[in-house]
Amino acid sequence: MSRSRGGRALVLAMLTALTLTAAGCATEEPAAPATGGTAASGQAGTIKEGLKIAFLPKQVNNPYFDASDNKGGKVAVEEFKGVYSQTGPSEASPSAQVSYINTLSQQGTDVIVVSANDKDAICGALQEARTAGAKVVTYDSDTNPSCRDVFINQASADGIAASQIKLISEAVGADGGEIAILSATANATNQNAWIEMMKTELAKPEYSKLKLVATVYGDDDDQKSFQEAQGLLAKYPDLKGIISPTTVGVAAAARYLSGSEYKGKVQLTGLGTPNQMRAYVKDGTVKSFALWNPSDLGYLAAYTGGALASGMIAGKEGDTFTAGKLGEYTVGKDGTVLLGDPFVFTEDNIDDFDF
Amino acid sequence: MVERMRSLAGSWDAALLVALVLVVVVGAMSVEGVASPRFWRFVTLEVIPIALIALPMTLVVITGEIDLSVASILGLTCTVMGQLWLWGITSLPVLVLVALLLGALLGAVNGVFVTAFGLPSLAVTIGTLALYRGLAYVVLGDRAVADYPPEWTTGAIAAIPGLTIPWMILVVGALTLVFGLVLHATPIGRGLYAMGNNAEAARFTGISVARTKFWLFVATGAMSALAGVFWTLRYASARADNGNGLELAVVAAVLLGGVSIFGGRGRLLGVLAAVVLLGTLRNALQLAYVPANTLTIITGSLLIVSVVGPNAAGLLRARWRRRRAPITPLHQE
């Protein structure tokens, strides 16, 4: 009896030890570049070498953040010879992000680039990381301005709202009609700001024939977004257009429309990536949609973080710096940097992009 | 029979404690930062809500029931606290009291469905998992209430003087003592095991099965609400999706802790060890740059081991014993 008892204890112990060591081996801990020693001597005006820059997206395994982090942030970090990493939870929850922020601050990360799942809930952890010496850059979705150094705004909220309303208005045509919004989660800071601005935009006389009848939430979940799109058309038979200002939502809605009787009759626009939307633009489901270039967003965030950690900028209004191939940027009000105007993808230009 | 079960549960506890020590030692040696006091502060902050809910959940599962609505109770409590705050109720004791009463009430609803209507708790609490979460969205919708006084939030996570560990762990400790005594040192506790093994037989021995289970669900609700209070203050944010999915972390800890999913077996010590083990493992692996996907796979595998392990071991032992007994004419093959 006692033998088998000890045996089981041993098996479990070995198993846990194994997972720990295996994980330790499998880990590709980013090696500091050989030139790291010169980091301290970096003079004003250049980004120090060897900075540890970690990207913390809303969730990992999300194509949008893969484009911004691995295809943008990583490129920038390699340009100025820093140490890039991407980490984060597999579900988009603020409490899970807190745990990763704690980890990053313990790892002595120089710059944390984070897209916030909640503007307040991750504040405490970010403050603690800043006390420990990290610079905090938010991108895509901001926190309270007091919790970070700089926010990289992908596009101004009014710019996005204006382009979304303009695109749906053009697609629906002069007669106008009922439209609806398919959003991400009900708490997403950026989504809600855009929706408010869209309502303001709709109040303008040129859009008087468009009527917003519903806002539904697909939670950035493909299946739920698909079902919400389906539900909208069941509930509003006269619906003329859907705006889905989220990459997951717009792709799911496009997939539903393209396989239904509404294809070409109900118009769809939103914020999507070219690779996700290409098929639907070509089959006539979607005439046009918009987005910034997420890779540029991550690229700019990395350069901003590098400039902050090197003491080139303090994140104050009026600070200027150069972000590699993107050129010069100026820090605006409340420590924000604006990437630029949203870009409109149509059948004519979509094949020029691959992300 | 009872002796065997006890020793089985006991040995699983021992295995978990050994595993915990091993994880800590191996972690401290191979992952930079695990040995630091800050690491343990973060681990403790993370496991407190799980531990709070796991205490009553252990008792519930031992009786052969389950409560999957706990994280939704947490979420609904958070939003109600947030709404009360918006309405100008700014006394912390009042908010906490209302939260606990609400949690107990929500638990009582589960309890009534399970005991008075005789419905399976799995079905009832999957229902209330969705219902309570839905109500949480009704209360606050897409809003997050976050403007609590800073001293509340810093107070909630403040460390015990001289340590980095938050003082809330003392509350967890005191409650562990209460639940531990009830389970392991009172007739009520023995009744819970009896119910889990055979509810019918337990009823004949004079145990009030329905009433006991009802109060267990009330306790689970109240403890989930307490976790909700801590959650709101720790993250300084009352949102409808607070604690989303936490029920899985709690059930994982309870099962890994050696409590049988079929009821009748398990101890509180094992569950607490499992809570700390899972928290430590997760944080240590994160520090070792292990991606989230791998973490999920590891947690899932541990859960399978915890459910399959004890049963497989029992089966193997039975077969071995049968083979060793030579003179059993009935079992000749």
Side-chain angles (χ1 to χ4, degrees):
Chain A
M1 189 69 206
S2 71
R3 238 178 86 192
S4 79
R5 181 193 291 189
R8 204 169 323 109
L10 199 69
V11 167
L12 185 64
M14 271 161 56
L15 194 95
T16 22
L18 205 70
T19 45
L20 255 185
T21 24
C25 296
T27 300
E28 292 168 37
E29 196 167 335
T35 46
T38 61
S41 64
Q43 66 263 71
T46 55
I47 293 175
K48 287 185 202 167
E49 288 183 7
L51 289 173
K52 283 164 91 175
I53 302 199
F55 277 72
L56 181 58
K58 279 186 181 171
Q59 65 185 124
V60 293
N61 308 324
N62 178 321
Y64 170 80
F65 288 111
D66 283 339
S68 65
D69 301 1
N70 297 327
K71 295 192 182 110
K74 189 176 180 201
V75 175
V77 172
E78 280 167 0
E79 276 176 18
F80 55 76
K81 297 190 173 60
V83 183
Y84 166 87
S85 65
Q86 190 210 35
T87 182
S90 48
E91 82 279 18
S93 102
S95 49
Q97 270 187 325
V98 164
S99 159
Y100 280 92
I101 294 166
N102 291 342
T103 304
L104 286 174
S105 74
Q106 271 197 284
Q107 286 165 342
T109 309
D110 296 302
V111 180
I112 298 175
V113 183
V114 57
S115 173
N117 280 323
D118 180 296
K119 74 182 174 67
D120 296 294
I122 65 170
C123 261
L126 285 180
Q127 294 291 21
E128 205 160 340
R130 291 171 83 191
T131 312
K135 297 290 177 187
V136 175
V137 175
T138 52
Y139 71 126
D140 176 69
S141 182
D142 198 10
T143 59
N144 268 337
S146 62
C147 312
R148 46 79 175 158
D149 294 289
V150 172
F151 170 53
I152 311 296
N153 199 350
Q154 54 269 56
S156 60
D158 45 351
I160 287 174
S163 89
Q164 297 284 286
I165 299 297
K166 183 162 173 280
L167 292 179
I168 200 70
S169 168
E170 285 168 2
V172 167
D175 291 342
E178 294 182 349
I179 58 165
I181 295 172
L182 169 62
S183 177
T185 58
N187 321 67
T189 320
N190 51 358
Q191 293 278 329
N192 291 328
W194 300 337
I195 291 170
E196 278 314 303
M197 295 275 193
M198 283 188 224
K199 288 177 183 165
T200 317
E201 193 70 18
L202 279 171
K204 289 184 177 170
E206 63 258 44
Y207 299 126
S208 59
K209 287 190 174 156
L210 288 178
K211 187 174 167 242
L212 179 64
V213 290
T215 302
V216 293
Y217 300 94
D219 292 345
D220 263 349
D221 176 284
D222 179 71
Q223 200 180 331
K224 180 141 193 269
S225 304
F226 187 93
Q227 287 164 352
E228 291 290 346
Q230 197 172 18
L232 275 176
L233 288 158
K235 196 167 172 199
Y236 303 98
D238 295 330
L239 200 70
K240 288 284 182 292
I242 299 173
I243 302 172
S244 186
T246 158
T247 54
V248 179
V250 75
R255 202 168 77 249
Y256 171 67
L257 287 178
S258 79
S260 78
E261 59 192 289
Y262 305 108
K263 176 178 168 183
K265 292 176 193 142
V266 175
Q267 301 301 327
L268 172 68
T269 193
L271 302 176
T273 69
N275 285 354
Q276 279 179 306
M277 301 300 290
R278 188 167 287 116
Y280 308 114
V281 169
K282 299 209 163 168
D283 77 0
T285 309
V286 174
K287 288 178 182 161
S288 62
F289 63 95
L291 197 70
W292 50 93
N293 187 330
S295 307
D296 285 351
L297 181 69
Y299 185 92
L300 176 57
Y303 263 98
T304 311
L308 280 166
S310 308
M312 292 159 57
I313 58 170
K316 297 276 175 299
E317 188 170 355
D319 285 356
T320 58
F321 64 102
T322 306
K325 60 170 186 185
L326 293 179
E328 189 149 314
Y329 281 86
T330 306
V331 180
K333 202 167 151 280
D334 288 331
T336 59
V337 174
L338 180 62
L339 177 65
D341 280 332
F343 184 86
V344 177
F345 298 91
T346 63
E347 196 178 357
D348 296 332
N349 66 17
I350 194 163
D351 283 334
D352 301 338
F353 296 90
D354 180 24
F355 66 87
Chain B
M1 192 67 183
V2 174
E3 268 310 306
R4 249 196 71 195
M5 283 185 169
R6 278 232 179 103
S7 68
L8 192 72
S11 73
W12 190 254
D13 290 350
L16 276 170
L17 287 172
V18 171
L20 178 57
V21 170
L22 231 102
V23 164
V24 172
V25 171
V26 173
M29 288 191 309
S30 61
V31 183
E32 197 191 328
V34 170
S36 79
R38 264 179 90 202
F39 176 82
W40 291 102
R41 171 174 173 76
F42 292 146
V43 170
T44 315
L45 283 172
E46 209 163 291
V47 302
I48 282 171
I50 299 173
L52 284 174
I53 305 177
L55 291 175
M57 185 73 90
T58 302
L59 276 58
V60 169
V61 177
I62 282 174
T63 66
E65 305 288 346
I66 197 159
D67 186 346
L68 295 179
S69 70
V70 287
S72 298
I73 293 179
L74 186 158
L76 181 50
T77 318
C78 289
T79 55
V80 168
M81 273 178 75
Q83 185 60 59
L84 292 175
W85 170 260
L86 289 181
W87 281 339
I89 295 169
T90 53
S91 152
L92 187 58
V94 172
L95 287 175
V96 173
L97 190 69
V98 172
L100 292 180
L101 287 175
L102 175 69
L105 180 72
L106 296 172
V109 172
N110 285 334
V112 165
F113 276 114
V114 173
T115 58
F117 300 135
L119 298 170
S121 55
L122 184 71
V124 169
T125 56
I126 282 182
T128 47
L129 177 151
L131 172 69
Y132 294 161
R133 186 65 72 182
L135 288 174
Y137 277 102
V138 170
V139 174
L140 272 193
D142 55 2
R143 286 171 299 164
V145 181
D147 53 347
Y148 303 102
E151 60 269 21
W152 285 15
T153 38
T154 48
I157 60 169
I160 302 168
L163 291 172
T164 59
I165 307 295
W167 66 271
M168 263 302 282
I169 201 70
L170 298 177
V171 176
V172 175
L175 286 164
T176 304
L177 210 63
V178 173
F179 279 93
L181 284 176
V182 168
L183 181 62
H184 298 301
T186 65
I188 302 172
R190 283 193 291 282
L192 299 181
Y193 285 104
M195 279 178 228
N197 282 317
N198 189 336
E200 204 57 37
R203 198 169 295 123
F204 280 122
T205 58
I207 298 167
S208 173
V209 175
R211 191 193 300 165
T212 313
K213 283 186 177 175
F214 172 81
W215 285 108
L216 276 184
F217 278 102
V218 172
T220 315
M223 292 293 281
S224 304
L226 183 62
V229 172
F230 177 71
W231 195 282
T232 305
L233 296 183
R234 183 196 167 192
Y235 295 111
S237 186
R239 298 158 41 114
D241 66 350
N242 275 9
N244 214 348
L246 197 72
E247 67 278 344
L248 289 183
V250 173
V251 171
V254 169
L255 296 188
L256 182 63
V259 179
S260 167
I261 188 73
F262 307 110
R265 205 171 69 200
R267 296 163 63 84
L268 213 51
L269 178 68
V271 173
L272 278 184
V275 168
V276 181
L277 176 68
L278 286 173
T280 310
L281 196 61
R282 242 185 67 86
N283 279 272
L285 290 174
Q286 263 183 30
L287 262 183
Y289 298 92
V290 172
N293 306 332
T294 319
L295 275 181
T296 317
I297 293 170
I298 292 172
T299 319
S301 310
L302 273 178
L303 196 59
I304 299 281
V305 170
S306 67
V307 178
V308 174
N311 287 317
L315 268 174
L316 280 176
R317 195 174 325 112
R319 186 173 294 179
W320 181 67
R321 194 167 294 162
R322 208 165 53 191
R323 204 170 290 167
R324 284 231 316 180
I327 316 163
T328 42
L330 285 175
H331 285 86
Q332 265 170 0
E333 282 152 331

